Amino acid sequence: MFPQRSIRTRFVFQILVASAALLIIFSSILYVYIQQSVYDERKQELVAIALNLTKNQSISSSAFSEENPTIGVSIDMVHIKQKNVPLALGEKRIDNKDYLLLYYPFDFNSGTYLRITKDFTTTRQMLKKILHSIFVINAISFIFIIVYAIAFAKMLISPITSLTERLANMNENFIKPIDLRAMPIEFIPLGESINHLIKRIQTFVKYQKELFIGAAHELKTPLAVIKLKNEVTLIKKREAQEYIEALKTTNESVDNMNKIVADILNIGRQEGAQFEPPVEIDLIAFLRHKANDFKLIAENEGKALDIRLEPSAYAISIQKTLLHQIIQNFLQNALKFTPKGKKVTLQSHLTSEGLVINVIDEGCGIDESMDIFAPFKRSGDKSGAGLGLFLAKSAADALHAGISIKNRPDGDGAIASLQLNSTLSCLLPAKRSSKQHKTAYTKIPSEGS
């Protein structure tokens, strides 16, 4: 048995089996048709002779026993005891010769039949030659089919071979998308998937490089501050208060480094969270719980958190840790950049593609010309390591969700959006109202399950 893992070998084997079966069936039908046509033709000849003889009722019995050289047949009279025997055609072999026999009714009352015998040897030899020729033609055809199947299989897998060679030659320093124009139509979806993967790899490599460079730069600055402050402090004796101030500055720098290290550790934890099994949750209840936690933080900072969640319930199978990182980052940034006395709005609504979650602030907005999802990119005048949105983008990619941040149309702040596809999600029954005793059910999306 051929190895099932080889697509090319399986294809060649299957096309050979199908072609062989087709050749055998076609050849058999052709030979049977030719043979039947020859027999029908000879039968009609013998029947025509019998009809001519039966019209001449004065022919004697002795005339039938002689060889008729003009038509090449032997004719004799036979008596069959069984009455009303229909027209019969048979074949007989005598002395290595084949004969065709026709029994034709001459007189039903006396049971007399004309037996017309014709030498069938030449015709039989011709049929054998035809059969032999069919075998030879089939053998030659099968050889051509083998060559064609191998060439055709090679042609079919050539795009895969080309893709394999190109991908094998790629590394982190040379990653180039595949040119889809040179690919067959059937392989374009595969090429698009590979290009999408290549794009994600390029983004990952780019962000990893920026992450390492940025981390080194961010850690270098507070270390330099600590070193310089200590050197200045050690130049001469100082008052106790000056030492305290130097230690406070050192602690502040250490705290900044701890924040950077914590964010870097969160990146590592997030990579592990991507392998976390999805669980089914009510997304609206999850958002409401998170919003209530941040509502207390907002009130403590003199800000407001407005919650507008629709529909009333929404079931989804998702990795909670990744979703938690995204929502927490959105709300933290919104509250950080929103001035005191202003508000942040958390809202959700259904679209044809699924559920959209928006966090709208009233802050300074963002610089839309900058890739704010890159590591250590900061927007606005607030301090921070600049890794929060990088973590949120990585989590959204792992969830196959869409993420975006753009300025509000009125210019008073920014809108952070998360698009969750409706795959493996559906609406739950709405909660029973205190004024109604009937339970209202909302529409299930066509893509939901």
Side-chain angles (χ1 to χ4, degrees):
M1 180 61 66
F2 293 106
Q4 293 187 353
R5 289 188 176 183
S6 173
I7 297 177
R8 179 178 177 181
T9 305
R10 290 179 63 189
F11 175 79
V12 172
F13 175 72
Q14 290 174 0
I15 198 172
L16 289 179
V17 171
S19 300
L22 185 62
L23 282 174
I24 292 171
I25 293 172
F26 177 76
S27 301
S28 301
I29 293 173
L30 177 62
Y31 179 73
V32 170
Y33 173 76
I34 293 173
Q35 185 183 50
Q36 191 61 41
S37 299
V38 171
Y39 273 94
D40 290 343
E41 185 179 346
R42 295 295 178 264
K43 181 180 178 180
Q44 290 174 4
E45 291 178 1
L46 297 180
V47 169
I49 294 172
L51 287 173
N52 290 332
L53 291 175
T54 54
K55 288 179 182 178
N56 187 0
Q57 299 294 331
S58 61
I59 297 178
S60 62
S61 299
S62 60
F64 297 118
S65 61
E66 297 178 358
E67 182 77 18
N68 191 331
T70 58
I71 57 178
V73 296
S74 296
I75 304 169
D76 57 355
M77 294 284 290
V78 295
H79 295 279
I80 300 178
K81 293 181 180 181
Q82 185 180 356
K83 293 185 177 181
N84 300 328
V85 176
L87 181 70
L89 182 70
E91 190 175 350
K92 192 174 183 181
R93 185 173 181 81
I94 303 173
D95 298 333
N96 295 326
K97 286 189 176 183
D98 295 304
Y99 295 92
L100 203 60
L101 291 81
L102 177 70
Y103 292 88
Y104 191 85
F106 185 76
D107 187 358
F108 279 118
N109 295 327
S110 61
T112 306
Y113 285 79
L114 290 176
R115 183 173 63 187
I116 305 175
T117 306
K118 183 176 178 61
D119 190 351
F120 197 64
T121 305
T122 305
T123 307
R124 172 59 67 186
Q125 291 176 351
M126 180 190 68
L127 289 174
K128 288 182 179 179
K129 288 181 180 180
I130 292 174
L131 182 61
H132 181 264
S133 300
I134 289 175
F135 282 139
V136 173
I137 292 172
N138 283 351
I140 296 174
S141 300
F142 195 70
I143 293 173
F144 278 108
I145 289 171
I146 292 174
V147 175
Y148 172 77
I150 294 173
F152 189 58
K154 185 177 181 181
M155 182 190 71
L156 284 179
I157 66 171
S158 60
I160 298 293
T161 305
S162 177
L163 283 176
T164 304
E165 291 176 353
R166 292 197 60 182
L167 293 176
N169 293 328
M170 287 186 184
N171 54 50
E172 65 276 8
N173 297 318
F174 179 74
I175 302 177
K176 187 177 180 182
I178 298 168
D179 186 5
L180 300 180
R181 295 173 297 178
M183 296 185 66
I185 296 176
E186 293 79 6
F187 287 90
I188 287 180
L190 175 62
E192 290 176 344
S193 300
I194 292 175
N195 281 346
H196 177 68
L197 179 61
I198 289 174
K199 184 178 180 181
R200 290 192 61 183
I201 293 173
Q202 288 176 328
T203 304
F204 177 79
V205 171
K206 172 188 172 184
Y207 284 168
Q208 287 297 317
K209 289 180 179 179
E210 292 182 2
L211 177 63
F212 293 140
I213 295 172
H217 177 75
E218 293 292 330
L219 292 173
K220 183 180 178 181
T221 301
L223 285 173
V225 172
I226 293 173
K227 185 174 184 296
L228 180 62
K229 193 68 177 176
N230 289 341
E231 287 178 348
V232 171
T233 305
L234 293 173
I235 290 175
K236 62 178 181 178
K237 273 191 172 185
R238 299 181 182 275
E239 298 293 330
Q241 186 61 34
E242 292 179 329
Y243 285 114
I244 292 174
E245 293 297 327
L247 291 174
K248 286 182 179 180
T249 303
T250 301
N251 286 338
E252 289 177 1
S253 299
V254 171
D255 289 339
N256 291 333
M257 287 191 295
N258 280 333
K259 290 179 182 179
I260 296 172
V261 171
D263 286 336
I264 294 174
L265 289 175
N266 285 334
I267 294 174
R269 293 192 189 101
Q270 186 189 75
E271 292 180 356
Q274 294 180 12
F275 299 99
E276 174 185 290
V279 294
E280 187 171 325
I281 61 170
D282 180 357
L283 184 57
I284 302 301
F286 176 84
L287 293 176
R288 199 175 300 279
H289 176 73
K290 297 299 297 181
N292 289 334
D293 292 342
F294 277 90
K295 195 169 186 177
L296 297 175
I297 298 174
E299 291 174 354
N300 187 52
E301 296 177 357
K303 305 168 188 177
L305 178 59
D306 188 15
I307 305 172
R308 302 177 185 178
L309 301 176
E310 294 181 359
S312 60
Y314 191 80
I316 188 169
S317 180
I318 199 168
Q319 293 156 299
K320 284 182 64 175
T321 303
L322 299 179
L323 179 64
H324 167 78
Q325 289 177 346
I326 298 171
I327 302 302
Q328 178 170 280
N329 179 267
F330 279 1
L331 291 172
Q332 283 177 343
N333 282 345
L335 289 174
K336 179 166 63 172
F337 290 102
T338 298
K340 187 177 293 187
K342 300 289 185 177
K343 72 173 181 178
V344 173
T345 302
L346 172 64
Q347 63 176 212
S348 65
H349 63 276
L350 281 173
T351 66
S352 59
E353 297 178 356
L355 190 76
V356 176
I357 302 170
N358 291 327
V359 176
I360 307 170
D361 63 52
E362 296 183 357
C364 58
I366 62 169
D367 182 2
E368 294 184 344
S369 63
M370 180 178 65
D371 183 8
I372 60 174
F373 293 110
F376 301 104
K377 297 292 183 181
R378 301 180 183 88
S379 182
D381 54 356
K382 301 294 183 179
S383 62
L387 290 175
L389 290 178
F390 171 72
L391 285 167
K393 179 68 166 60
S394 300
D397 289 341
L399 293 174
H400 303 287
I403 187 172
S404 65
I405 298 180
K406 59 183 179 180
N407 289 321
R408 291 172 48 170
D410 56 10
D412 295 332
I415 304 174
S417 299
L418 179 68
Q419 170 74 62
L420 294 173
N421 297 327
S422 59
T423 307
L424 299 179
S425 63
C426 64
L427 292 176
L428 292 175
K431 293 183 179 179
R432 182 176 295 180
S433 172
S434 60
K435 297 181 180 179
Q436 274 184 311
H437 296 288
K438 293 182 179 180
T439 303
Y441 287 86
T442 47
K443 186 179 178 182
I444 296 178
S446 59
E447 296 182 10
S449 58

